[in-house]
Amino acid sequence: MGSEFKCIDCGMVYEPGIRFRCDCGGLLEVIHEFGHVERETFDERLGSMKPPYSSGVWRYKEIINPAIDVGHVVSRPEGNTNLYSHPRLGKYVGLEDLAVKHEGENPSGSFKDRGMTVGISEAVRLGVKAVACASTGNTSASLAAYAAQAGIDCVVFIPEGEIAFGKLAQALSYGAKVLQISGNFDDAMRVVQEASGELGLYLLNSVNPWRIEGQKSIIFEMIQQRGWEPPDWIAVPAGNLGNTSAFGKALREAVELGLIDKVPRIASIQAEGANPFYRLWEEGGEVLEPMKPSTVASAIKIGNPVSWKKALRSVRETEGVVDQVSDQEIMDAKAIVDGCGIGCEPASAASVAGVRKLVEKGVIGPGEEVVCVLTGNLLKDPDASVQYHTGTIKGVEQTYANRPIVIDADIASVERALKRKN
Ligand code: F0G
């Protein structure tokens, strides 16, 4: 069962190798020659302790990378993330129930591990010596971890002073060479693409089509967890647009393979200050206009998303929508998710804030079934949480703050504090 790279613009086909764009400049996607695939195979592997099928990515090997030799697979294992719901969450967004799929439960704390296991395994298959990425933090943490496991050199390009500390700590600790670019993520992305071409670094941003293949597993796993019953909607935060692209491809293939017969609608949610995809959608244009991004959700502070063309196709094909939410809405939604004991980083909460908005607008009906993807762990960005609860984020009100109380070291002060309402 072979796979090939195909240009989404001109249709040119290539052998899968060290190439990330078509000669025409277009993005490449992986096209598989699928064998017979059925739900039962994936159900039988549930709960398996045996690598690589114990992974929530490699469980679906036949639809992610059918041809790779399992000896080349580098897996932690990833995926197998939980679906949660909580009455307070449903109430907050105005639905009977809201489920969240917590991708922050992956080994390095974000969904990136699902793409990275596939990308790094390809790097091993190809025998590359060094891997690289640009990142708002999570990609660099994930790549650094997988490269360390595979014994491959790793270089990460990050915007100086703009990534959350949990993520920087990971990249440094896992031993990546960390290059802090003076500029934003989009500058780092431009430089890493040039560097990978000229300096022989294997690029592992989501422009690498194998990353998208791995991220498809979020959809397969979520639908399998629901007994192969797709929800009506899937909401996802949108930055560089890898996930939005991957979700559309996963749904297209799941239909083609007969795994599902109903296609959920994708709601792709951007931060208001970093919303080039939303603007493209609203204007009904065909070409994305880059912008200078600004948002408290540093993970999605991206003004020139690489995968916008694939993402646009995903939203259109699933009759989905693109929307935007403010920093206030993001931080308030995060406080609710956190307060349910689930917890997520700011960017993740964009999906929940987006659903609330879409319910308010009547785009999502109150009886519809919705799954939000939480993309990263709360501990990735502890500063954002502490700043929200202590009221130190500029321009963001503490709507649901849980303020720390400073007291003297005596029992009377404790008693007073216990009586006080937060
Ligand atoms: N949520 C989190 C927590 C992220 O880290 C990212 C992207 C996104 C959402 C957006 O996903 O790019 O697929 O639309 N982080 C990348 C990084 C850019 O470098 O870690 P997307």
Side-chain angles (χ1 to χ4, degrees):
M1 246 72 65
S3 306
E4 53 192 23
F5 284 178
K6 188 173 178 190
C7 174
I8 65 160
D9 286 335
C10 74
M12 183 81 171
V13 169
Y14 301 90
E15 273 286 300
I18 303 179
R19 157 183 288 279
F20 310 103
R21 285 196 188 265
C22 179
D23 288 343
C24 80
L27 292 173
L28 298 172
E29 70 177 353
V30 183
I31 304 291
H32 301 294
E33 190 192 318
F34 291 121
H36 178 68
V37 169
E38 54 186 13
R39 293 172 178 178
E40 287 70 23
T41 310
F42 307 133
D43 286 341
E44 276 161 22
R45 290 177 188 159
L46 272 184
S48 166
M49 303 281 218
K50 202 170 149 229
Y53 302 109
S54 52
S55 156
V57 175
W58 295 101
R59 178 179 310 130
Y60 312 98
K61 182 176 184 297
E62 290 79 357
I63 28 180
I64 285 178
N65 193 341
I68 196 166
D69 185 317
V70 292
H72 288 136
V73 170
V74 181
S75 173
R76 307 290 304 268
E78 44 292 311
N80 295 308
T81 59
N82 287 296
L83 270 178
Y84 297 105
S85 58
H86 190 291
R88 199 172 158 207
L89 260 185
K91 194 159 170 246
Y92 183 68
V93 299
L95 291 173
E96 279 160 29
D97 190 24
L98 176 73
V100 292
K101 183 154 176 66
H102 207 327
E103 288 300 300
E105 295 177 344
N106 273 291
S108 82
S110 83
F111 71 93
K112 303 287 179 181
D113 296 344
R114 291 187 183 260
M116 218 46 93
T117 179
V118 180
I120 278 280
S121 300
E122 270 299 303
V124 169
R125 184 184 75 83
L126 295 165
V128 307
K129 298 279 174 292
V131 291
C133 71
S135 183
T136 55
N138 281 323
T139 303
S140 62
S142 181
L143 181 59
Y146 279 84
Q149 190 175 336
I152 298 176
D153 288 345
C154 174
V155 192
V156 304
F157 295 67
I158 55 167
E160 190 188 359
E162 295 204 7
I163 81 170
F165 251 49
K167 306 171 189 182
L168 179 59
Q170 284 180 293
L172 293 170
S173 307
Y174 297 145
K177 180 167 278 191
V178 176
L179 305 181
Q180 309 203 65
I181 301 271
S182 52
N184 61 22
F185 168 81
D186 302 303
D187 297 315
M189 192 66 226
R190 180 177 46 78
V191 174
V192 78
Q193 290 191 76
E194 267 172 44
S196 63
E198 293 190 14
L199 307 175
L201 302 168
Y202 185 69
L203 185 60
L204 270 167
N205 280 99
S206 55
V207 65
N208 182 325
W210 288 112
R211 282 271 317 275
I212 302 288
E213 291 310 293
Q215 286 167 216
K216 290 186 326 195
S217 65
I218 299 174
I219 297 296
F220 301 141
E221 189 176 89
M222 179 269 289
I223 294 178
Q224 186 178 21
Q225 280 168 313
R226 294 173 44 96
W228 298 103
E229 282 293 326
D232 299 302
W233 288 88
I234 300 166
V236 62
N240 214 20
L241 297 170
N243 266 341
T244 306
S245 302
F247 290 9
K249 188 168 192 282
L251 292 168
R252 197 181 313 140
E253 292 173 351
V255 170
E256 184 188 324
L257 292 164
L259 294 172
I260 56 171
D261 45 27
K262 180 187 104 177
V263 179
R265 302 171 73 180
I266 294 176
S268 181
I269 312 295
Q270 293 224 279
E272 239 170 53
N275 65 353
F277 189 51
Y278 170 75
R279 291 197 204 177
L280 173 71
W281 178 259
E282 277 300 291
E283 287 157 16
E286 288 300 324
V287 179
L288 180 128
E289 193 72 37
M291 66 180 291
K292 197 173 172 334
S294 156
T295 170
V296 67
S298 58
I300 51 174
K301 188 174 168 192
I302 296 172
N304 191 11
V306 168
S307 297
W308 66 266
K309 252 191 201 173
K310 288 183 180 176
L312 189 59
R313 184 172 159 210
S314 289
V315 180
R316 283 187 177 151
E317 273 184 6
T318 64
E319 293 176 28
V321 295
V322 183
D323 216 321
Q324 60 172 0
V325 287
S326 66
D327 281 357
Q328 182 73 53
E329 290 168 314
I330 289 174
M331 291 310 292
D332 285 346
K334 172 176 150 58
I336 300 292
V337 174
D338 294 352
C340 292
I342 297 169
C344 65
E345 70 164 282
S348 308
S351 60
V352 175
V355 168
R356 186 173 200 245
K357 196 164 204 178
L358 291 168
V359 172
E360 233 167 56
K361 286 186 189 172
V363 177
I364 298 180
E368 291 198 282
E369 290 188 12
V370 183
V371 175
C372 281
V373 177
L374 299 180
T375 43
N377 194 287
L378 183 150
L379 294 174
K380 288 282 193 174
D381 191 354
D383 291 344
S385 297
V386 174
Q387 285 166 7
Y388 179 82
H389 292 290
T390 53
T392 50
I393 305 180
K394 234 174 110 197
V396 172
E397 302 279 321
Q398 297 172 274
T399 322
Y400 305 104
N402 179 19
R403 294 176 192 82
I405 305 168
V406 180
I407 61 162
D408 290 331
D410 60 65
I411 195 75
S413 304
V414 174
E415 209 178 350
R416 264 199 310 278
L418 291 182
K419 282 189 186 139
R420 213 173 102 178
K421 257 192 141 328
N422 252 8

